[in-house]
Amino acid sequence: MLSKNQIKIITSLSQKKYRKQHQLFIAEGKKVIEELLPNFDLEWLFCVGDLNFKNVDKNKVYQVTDTEIKKISVLTTATNCLAVFRIPEERENKELKGLIVALDDIRDPGNLGTIIRLCDWFGIETLLCSEETVDVYNPKVVQATMGSISRVNVVYGNIVEILKTTSLPVFGTFMDGENIYKKELPKEGIIVMGNEANGISVEIEKIAKNKISIPRFGKLQATESLNVATATAIILSEFRRN
Amino acid sequence: MLSKNQIKIITSLSQKKYRKQHQLFIAEGKKVIEELLPNFDLEWLFCVGDLNFKNVDKNKVYQVTDTEIKKISVLTTATNCLAVFRIPEERENKELKGLIVALDDIRDPGNLGTIIRLCDWFGIETLLCSEETVDVYNPKVVQATMGSISRVNVVYGNIVEILKTTSLPVFGTFMDGENIYKKELPKEGIIVMGNEANGISVEIEKIAKNKISIPRFGKLQATESLNVATATAIILSEFRRN
């Protein structure tokens, strides 16, 4: 049974300002929820039927009907469970080391979610996001990460300042960059990925001294660009394959 | 000005059966439409204001209002133009050669669109799709291809039969496959990518003699799988980089 107040709070969580106000976010589907349970504090868990979640405080579980879950789901096709988790305090910004990805204003939630999943796969522990990058607790981002959100430290901040002061080499993808297949790539560094429409901003272009590019093999008229998430996949694969 | 009949036809084109009946599909936004104009027969072009399209028969251009374009758009945020194109007859299934991608029941329109864009980038001329794969003229697929749909030959058919009779080596991605970074990859072959939830079907697993895998670098608990479009990106990059 869902209370009116719960419905009001949950539906408000599609918007960043209410997520910030309540310090809550939602996740849907058993697989995603199970991956988040060990790493985030559960507030409420709504289930249609007994779904056999392990290690969950029963006082936080609410049985609901199909009709009720549809009311609070943000998915086109609601699944049979929805969880509300507490947004954790930002982890301290530890010293930057190893391989790091920085996002310069990624706007599409699906792209951010896919990039977080890629970071998890390729063992990237820290993902730096510019303040204009879509919020990691946006429900569409959470769903697209498929649970990887619990294993990648996503830090928002002024990435221009961070890149200016780091001692790590900074890499950016540009049309006229060096062929990534031929360049020797280090084990440590910060890889900047640019905005979907405008690429890397002028300010960051000045800092990203290591300009790389993914060669195109198609016909002359072929597509001018790759989707930012697929470009990230190719670049991370190249850095890690050595 | 939009006629009632046009609205009725255009809104019906979100559904495959009506696309088949009318042999029409839609595309939105100037960039995508311009990429399709040289390769597909235009039926109607609806514009808010004068958008300066080149080489377009003026009799096919209709001036519409913002309110009208919102009625026919399938995008969350309508742009200022929408085109209706004729679906071409399937190109003859020429002899299979070079590098080819085959999709075993890809259901998500965004994934198919992104894979078509990747094929365009990496010079893959033919994309084989199982009959259960999402329709390439689905409006969400068309938008995600960003115009690449006009440069990749997408062929639907019984891929099990095609794979059984081809003389090309068949590659499939499996958890226990050979490390793709260490395997010598040929210039010719068919790379099969599996369904989002179930991977490659049992029938095709028997035919895909060359089992490959993308190594994972994350922690032990890291994500079990990559999104199919990002996995395709990494695999195509590996095949082409040599």
Side-chain angles (χ1 to χ4, degrees):
Chain A
M1 173 78 194
L2 262 165
S3 73
K4 272 194 181 159
N5 190 42
Q6 283 172 327
I7 296 177
K8 197 179 149 196
I9 292 175
I10 295 165
T11 52
S12 82
L13 298 177
S14 292
Q15 287 178 62
K16 188 175 173 183
K17 67 171 176 180
Y18 295 111
R19 287 196 295 275
K20 209 170 165 183
Q21 181 186 317
H22 298 293
Q23 288 292 303
L24 296 173
F25 72 98
I26 67 175
E28 302 189 54
K30 195 170 180 210
K31 191 180 174 315
V32 173
I33 294 171
E34 278 183 332
E35 295 237 25
L36 302 189
L37 278 171
N39 298 287
F40 293 92
D41 288 337
L42 182 69
E43 190 78 9
W44 303 316
L45 174 58
F46 303 94
C47 297
V48 182
D50 183 9
L51 299 177
N52 236 324
F53 276 96
K54 279 163 201 132
N55 305 319
V56 168
D57 176 355
K58 293 231 161 82
N59 293 318
K60 294 183 172 174
V61 182
Y62 297 75
Q63 284 298 323
V64 294
T65 64
D66 267 329
T67 319
E68 285 178 312
I69 207 138
K70 273 184 197 149
K71 267 189 206 155
I72 52 175
S73 173
V74 295
L75 302 176
T76 323
T77 317
T79 64
N80 53 6
C81 48
L82 184 149
V84 178
F85 289 101
R86 230 152 242 286
I87 293 179
E89 289 188 30
E90 270 214 10
R91 282 180 256 181
E92 236 179 290
N93 200 343
K94 288 179 296 188
E95 192 202 351
L96 296 177
K97 57 177 189 180
L99 205 56
I100 286 163
V101 174
L103 303 181
D104 186 13
D105 299 2
I106 296 299
R107 302 299 172 92
D108 180 81
N111 283 340
L112 177 57
T114 306
I115 291 171
I116 292 172
R117 202 168 155 194
L118 280 166
C119 286
D120 188 19
W121 183 272
F122 285 109
I124 307 295
E125 288 176 19
T126 303
L127 178 65
L128 301 175
C129 296
S130 67
E131 271 137 8
E132 296 304 309
T133 293
V134 56
D135 179 37
V136 62
Y137 296 110
N138 175 310
K140 288 182 189 164
V141 176
V142 175
Q143 290 312 119
T145 68
M146 298 290 287
S148 291
I149 196 177
S150 57
R151 287 177 297 266
V152 178
N153 189 15
V154 183
V155 183
Y156 285 77
N158 183 333
I159 63 168
V160 173
E161 284 311 311
I162 296 171
L163 295 176
K164 268 186 185 164
T165 53
T166 182
S167 59
L168 293 174
V170 179
F171 292 82
T173 312
F174 299 92
M175 295 295 260
D176 61 347
E178 252 185 278
N179 181 337
I180 191 172
Y181 301 138
K182 296 197 171 148
K183 192 173 167 67
E184 201 154 319
L185 302 169
K187 294 256 172 281
E188 286 206 310
I190 303 181
I191 304 161
V192 186
M193 301 303 298
N195 169 271
E196 289 90 345
N198 308 317
I200 289 178
S201 58
V202 178
E203 222 176 344
I204 291 182
E205 187 173 348
K206 287 180 206 152
I207 312 169
K209 301 278 186 215
N210 300 276
K211 294 189 170 33
I212 50 176
S213 77
I214 302 170
R216 189 173 66 177
F217 293 83
K219 302 166 194 151
L220 265 183
Q221 327 80 301
T223 179
E224 283 162 26
S225 67
L226 286 169
N227 161 283
V228 64
T230 55
T232 307
I234 294 165
I235 292 170
L236 289 180
S237 173
E238 275 302 310
F239 268 86
R240 287 299 196 207
R241 77 190 295 285
N242 294 313
Chain B
M1 172 78 195
L2 261 165
S3 73
K4 272 195 182 158
N5 191 43
Q6 282 172 329
I7 297 178
K8 197 179 149 196
I9 292 175
I10 295 165
T11 52
S12 81
L13 298 177
S14 292
Q15 287 179 61
K16 188 175 173 183
K17 67 171 178 180
Y18 294 111
R19 288 196 295 276
K20 210 171 165 183
Q21 182 187 315
H22 298 293
Q23 288 292 303
L24 296 172
F25 72 97
I26 66 174
E28 302 190 54
K30 195 169 181 214
K31 190 179 174 319
V32 173
I33 294 172
E34 278 183 333
E35 295 236 28
L36 301 188
L37 278 170
N39 298 286
F40 292 91
D41 288 338
L42 181 69
E43 191 77 9
W44 304 315
L45 174 58
F46 303 95
C47 297
V48 182
D50 183 8
L51 299 178
N52 236 324
F53 276 97
K54 279 163 200 134
N55 304 317
V56 168
D57 176 354
K58 293 231 160 83
N59 293 317
K60 294 183 172 174
V61 182
Y62 297 75
Q63 284 297 326
V64 293
T65 63
D66 266 331
T67 319
E68 284 178 314
I69 207 136
K70 274 184 196 149
K71 266 188 205 154
I72 52 174
S73 172
V74 295
L75 303 176
T76 324
T77 317
T79 67
N80 53 6
C81 49
L82 183 149
V84 177
F85 290 100
R86 245 180 208 275
I87 293 179
E89 289 188 29
E90 273 215 8
R91 285 180 254 181
E92 236 180 289
N93 200 341
K94 288 179 295 186
E95 193 204 349
L96 296 178
K97 57 178 187 180
L99 205 55
I100 287 163
V101 174
L103 303 181
D104 186 13
D105 299 2
I106 295 298
R107 302 299 171 91
D108 181 80
N111 283 340
L112 177 56
T114 305
I115 291 171
I116 292 172
R117 201 167 155 196
L118 280 165
C119 285
D120 188 18
W121 181 274
F122 284 110
I124 308 294
E125 289 176 18
T126 304
L127 178 65
L128 301 174
C129 296
S130 67
E131 271 137 7
E132 296 304 309
T133 293
V134 55
D135 179 36
V136 62
Y137 295 110
N138 175 312
K140 288 183 190 164
V141 176
V142 174
Q143 290 311 120
T145 68
M146 299 289 288
S148 291
I149 195 175
S150 57
R151 287 177 298 266
V152 178
N153 188 16
V154 183
V155 183
Y156 284 77
N158 183 331
I159 64 167
V160 174
E161 284 311 311
I162 296 171
L163 295 176
K164 267 187 185 162
T165 53
T166 183
S167 59
L168 294 173
V170 179
F171 292 81
T173 313
F174 299 92
M175 295 293 261
D176 61 347
E178 253 185 276
N179 180 338
I180 191 170
Y181 301 137
K182 297 199 169 146
K183 194 173 165 66
E184 201 156 319
L185 302 169
K187 293 257 173 280
E188 287 206 307
I190 303 180
I191 303 161
V192 187
M193 300 304 297
N195 169 271
E196 288 90 344
N198 309 315
I200 289 178
S201 57
V202 178
E203 221 175 343
I204 290 182
E205 187 174 348
K206 287 180 205 150
I207 312 169
K209 301 279 185 214
N210 299 277
K211 293 189 169 33
I212 51 177
S213 76
I214 302 170
R216 191 173 64 176
F217 294 83
K219 302 168 196 152
L220 265 184
Q221 329 78 302
T223 178
E224 283 162 27
S225 68
L226 287 168
N227 161 284
V228 64
T230 54
T232 306
I234 294 165
I235 292 169
L236 289 180
S237 173
E238 275 302 310
F239 268 87
R240 287 299 196 208
R241 78 189 295 284
N242 293 314

